[in-house]
Amino acid sequence: MSNWKELGAAKRDSVNALIPKAWLLLTPLPPPAEQRDVTGKFIQQFLTPREIEITETDAVGIVKNTTTGTWKAREVAEAFCHRAALAHQMVHCLHEIFFAEAINDAQLLDEYYAQHGKPIGPLHGLPVSLKDQFHVRNVETTMGYIGWIGTFEGKKGTGKEKVFESEMVVELRNLGAVLYCKTSVPHTLMAGETINNIIGYTWNPKNRNLACGGSSGGEGALIGLKGSPVGFGTDIGGSIRIPAAFNGLYGIRPSSGRLPYEGMANSMDGQNSILSVVGPLATSVGALKLVMKGLLSQQPWLHDPLVSEIPWRDEKEQEILDIVKAGGGGQLVFAIMPDDGTVRPQPPVKRAIDIVVKLIEKLGHKTMEWKPPSHSRCNELVFKIWTMDGGEDVHAALGLAGEPMCAPVAASYGVKKEQCTASQISALNVLKRQYQKEYMEYWNRTASHTGTGRPVDAIIAPLAPFAAARPGMYDYYGMTTWVNLLDYSTTVLPVTFVDKNIDVVSPEYKPLSAIDEKIQKAYDPEVYDGAHVAVQVVGRRFQEERILAITEILGDALGKHVV
């Protein structure tokens, strides 16, 4: 039997061989020291003006053209397949390539339009990329595990290999989307960097000194290079929000049960105390709304037993728009959480929060302090829940091929531990519920302080202590994980870029904790210069429409106001 290195290399080579020869880069990329940013003009040099026009249009603009017959679905698919192929060669962001199938599917859409004079659905001709947890017919799902190559989730002879499709894949096809690639993940999915023994490390295209994030890191990197207009990731501890932030994108972590997860591969499947959720990443809020509305129109609650019957609610979005209009109360109230009491963010993230606070006030809205129940207590619960099986699942999956565990995962799962008993799991679930109740009532009580008669509308908070992690240095996840335990609807708002001349460490800085000190010491303005910086906008459970409306208001204002 081949060893894990040979199996990984063979898989990697088989995927790379699917890139058409005409799309191969003829010379190696310059090193990051010479060319840290491969987005924008760098990748554009390999594309035609028409390909640039198509791939730099957001998802809403694309479907305006494809659903009216102005653009052919095939031309759009070819442009994004080309740009995705370039992106993969630059930062290693793809696990699976099925460009030929996608172009054929797009051709069929064009033929349907020519015959019927109308689109097949609201996403007609829209290319959509998928994190490598989705099962797609004729395509493997490895999730970064060498032992999953040639199997269905590590098992052989199931009859599902390359035949079975995840529920959301079926729905996206029904809507007219064109599926063309699956993107890279850290094996196990439990890391804020993307690395595995098949494709190696996925780099941040804006600053190749840095991580692209994880675990939906390939999605973040691909969309950051505009090799996809919109894609789907998952989030159990920050895995949509982290790559969205690190790559300057909008993203949403919906509450569990809003979008269908049925039939997707996962780590620790059956761990239901903190559920992984699926959600989109894109270059605009409009794109997030477009695909969510489309999926909810498919009534996923009829096919996924964990989806709640909540169609898209225009009235919830309108509530926010009415508030900000004259005569509608006029003011939104934002709680500002500059840190979580254990770690303070590095200078670029601190400045991003300051920018958003000034913007909110300039728009005539209000801000207030946020001093919630202890986040350290929450995060302690999260990590206990994540390791309830003692690491059995991840060790078993890696053991299929005898492959080593990548370092970012080994920090949490390197040593197998004793599994929790049923009684211990029950006790953790009680503590989780009590914490959720405590946080809920804290939020409710803010109604007596906001001056609007409503509780706080959203929280502005950092989602990582850094603009992006340096490789091997993602040492603190507490700024994202509290959202998962509380199951809040949360978006990412891109704000600015690191500026080495502005974002400097104050000589008077006093660390909050040992981990805070470690993270502050890891900041180097020179290394970080030019990286994207973002914040998260946190709403309550099932408030996706409201929080997207708020994020769009802030995002539009950031584009229009100099703060």
Side-chain angles (χ1 to χ4, degrees):
M1 180 181 166
S2 302
N3 67 33
W4 65 267
K5 282 187 180 175
E6 290 168 352
L7 289 166
K11 176 63 179 176
R12 179 171 63 250
D13 292 346
S14 72
V15 172
N16 291 337
L18 294 169
I19 298 174
K21 285 186 180 166
W23 295 351
L24 292 173
L25 296 175
L26 301 177
T27 56
L29 283 186
E34 293 174 29
Q35 185 70 47
R36 67 172 60 185
D37 182 358
V38 293
T39 66
K41 288 188 175 162
F42 187 85
I43 193 170
Q44 285 173 1
Q45 69 183 299
F46 304 105
L47 298 160
T48 66
R50 177 63 173 160
E51 286 174 323
I52 293 169
E53 179 192 5
I54 290 169
T55 55
E56 300 197 1
T57 301
D58 86 327
V60 176
I62 290 168
V63 297
K64 275 182 186 166
N65 286 296
T66 53
T67 58
T68 56
T70 308
W71 287 358
K72 292 282 193 286
R74 180 178 181 132
E75 184 185 23
V76 173
E78 286 173 339
F80 276 100
C81 288
H82 186 192
R83 193 154 181 157
L86 296 171
H88 179 56
Q89 293 172 81
M90 292 176 182
V91 294
H92 313 141
C93 56
L94 301 185
H95 274 182
E96 301 291 339
I97 285 171
F98 37 108
F99 298 157
E101 294 91 334
I103 291 165
N104 183 62
D105 289 345
Q107 179 64 37
L108 293 174
L109 289 172
D110 288 335
E111 290 169 10
Y112 180 93
Y113 196 98
Q115 183 179 349
H116 299 279
K118 64 178 183 179
I120 204 165
L123 304 187
H124 181 102
L126 177 68
V128 175
S129 51
L130 302 169
K131 184 178 186 177
D132 193 21
Q133 289 179 257
F134 289 86
H135 291 296
V136 177
R137 64 174 179 251
N138 300 321
V139 182
E140 275 199 326
T141 301
T142 65
M143 222 166 73
Y145 287 129
I146 288 173
W148 281 24
I149 297 168
T151 75
F152 182 82
E153 299 181 10
K155 299 181 181 71
K156 293 185 176 177
T158 66
K160 293 183 175 181
E161 294 88 339
K162 295 191 178 182
V163 176
F164 178 79
E165 289 204 314
S166 305
E167 173 58 29
M168 189 182 281
V169 171
V170 174
E171 293 174 6
L172 287 167
R173 290 194 193 279
N174 291 343
L175 293 162
V178 175
L179 310 177
Y180 63 113
C181 63
K182 292 205 293 174
T183 53
S184 58
V185 301
H187 58 214
T188 77
L189 309 177
M190 303 302 289
E193 301 171 64
T194 294
I195 179 172
N196 61 62
N197 296 315
I198 298 174
I199 62 155
Y201 200 90
T202 306
W203 294 96
N204 188 313
K206 188 68 180 172
N207 182 332
R208 290 190 296 146
N209 296 311
L210 304 172
C212 66
S215 62
S216 314
E219 278 302 316
L222 178 67
I223 302 169
L225 277 162
K226 294 188 166 64
S228 169
V230 61
F232 284 88
T234 63
D235 193 313
I236 194 173
S239 292
I240 290 169
R241 290 163 289 150
I242 292 163
F246 289 9
N247 293 282
L249 305 171
Y250 292 94
I252 181 165
R253 180 237 178 252
S255 293
S256 60
R258 194 74 206 269
L259 292 178
Y261 210 103
E262 175 65 24
M264 287 170 60
N266 201 6
S267 289
M268 298 177 286
D269 195 16
Q271 182 282 103
N272 286 3
S273 298
I274 298 176
L275 286 170
S276 176
V277 301
V278 59
L281 301 81
T283 54
S284 69
V285 174
L288 305 180
K289 291 196 288 188
L290 173 74
V291 293
M292 285 188 70
K293 281 184 184 181
L295 287 165
L296 293 174
S297 76
Q298 295 287 294
Q299 299 181 292
W301 47 86
L302 297 179
H303 302 282
D304 183 336
L306 297 186
V307 171
S308 301
E309 188 173 347
I310 309 175
W312 181 266
R313 301 162 298 182
D314 287 312
E315 66 274 14
K316 294 294 180 185
E317 187 178 2
Q318 193 60 45
E319 282 174 13
I320 296 299
L321 300 179
D322 288 344
I323 288 168
V324 300
K325 286 177 187 170
Q331 284 188 315
L332 295 169
V333 182
F334 294 86
I336 308 301
M337 191 171 78
D339 61 66
D340 67 354
T342 301
V343 169
R344 288 196 184 107
Q346 292 173 353
V349 181
K350 181 182 181 301
R351 180 167 64 88
I353 292 199
D354 291 344
I355 288 171
V356 175
V357 169
K358 287 176 187 167
L359 178 70
I360 287 166
E361 291 168 351
K362 188 170 186 177
L363 292 172
H365 303 301
K366 293 174 71 173
T367 61
M368 60 177 283
E369 275 190 323
W370 190 249
K371 301 218 167 173
S374 163
H375 276 212
S376 62
R377 178 156 54 93
C378 168
N379 291 321
E380 191 178 324
L381 268 176
V382 170
F383 282 93
K384 282 180 181 174
I385 288 168
W386 282 355
T387 55
M388 288 191 303
D389 77 340
E392 176 64 33
D393 180 80
V394 300
H395 279 267
L398 291 164
L400 291 171
E403 62 177 310
M405 188 181 289
C406 66
V409 174
S412 299
Y413 292 95
V415 179
K416 278 179 75 172
K417 297 171 185 168
E418 192 175 342
Q419 296 195 31
C420 288
T421 64
S423 296
Q424 288 169 329
I425 292 169
S426 297
L428 285 172
N429 286 336
V430 170
L431 289 171
K432 182 194 87 164
R433 188 180 71 239
Q434 289 172 344
Y435 185 84
Q436 289 175 313
K437 168 69 171 168
E438 191 179 340
Y439 216 98
M440 178 183 281
E441 295 301 347
Y442 172 77
W443 198 317
N444 289 338
R445 287 195 299 275
T446 62
S448 60
H449 304 291
T450 57
T452 64
R454 303 184 312 275
V456 158
D457 293 295
I459 308 164
I460 303 295
L463 54 82
F466 24 67
R470 295 175 69 176
M473 298 170 78
Y474 206 128
D475 294 314
Y476 186 68
Y477 291 94
M479 290 180 174
T480 46
T481 51
W482 63 280
V483 166
N484 297 86
L485 186 120
L486 295 165
D487 195 25
Y488 284 161
S489 315
T490 305
T491 56
V492 172
L493 174 69
V495 178
T496 187
F497 302 92
V498 178
D499 185 329
K500 65 182 180 183
N501 298 312
I502 299 172
D503 299 314
V504 295
V505 180
S506 166
E508 295 158 20
Y509 185 84
K510 290 189 173 64
L512 288 176
S513 60
I515 186 65
D516 186 36
E517 185 172 19
K518 184 178 183 183
I519 283 163
Q520 298 305 323
K521 284 182 176 175
Y523 176 64
D524 182 333
E526 201 66 50
V527 169
Y528 272 91
D529 193 44
H532 290 289
V533 196
V535 301
Q536 61 184 339
V537 185
V538 183
R540 302 177 90 165
R541 289 187 73 224
F542 293 119
Q543 288 193 352
E544 288 79 18
E545 295 90 345
R546 289 171 61 90
I547 215 70
L548 283 166
I550 288 169
T551 304
E552 192 161 37
I553 289 164
L554 295 176
D556 286 351
L558 278 168
K560 293 171 186 169
H561 293 262
V562 177
V563 181

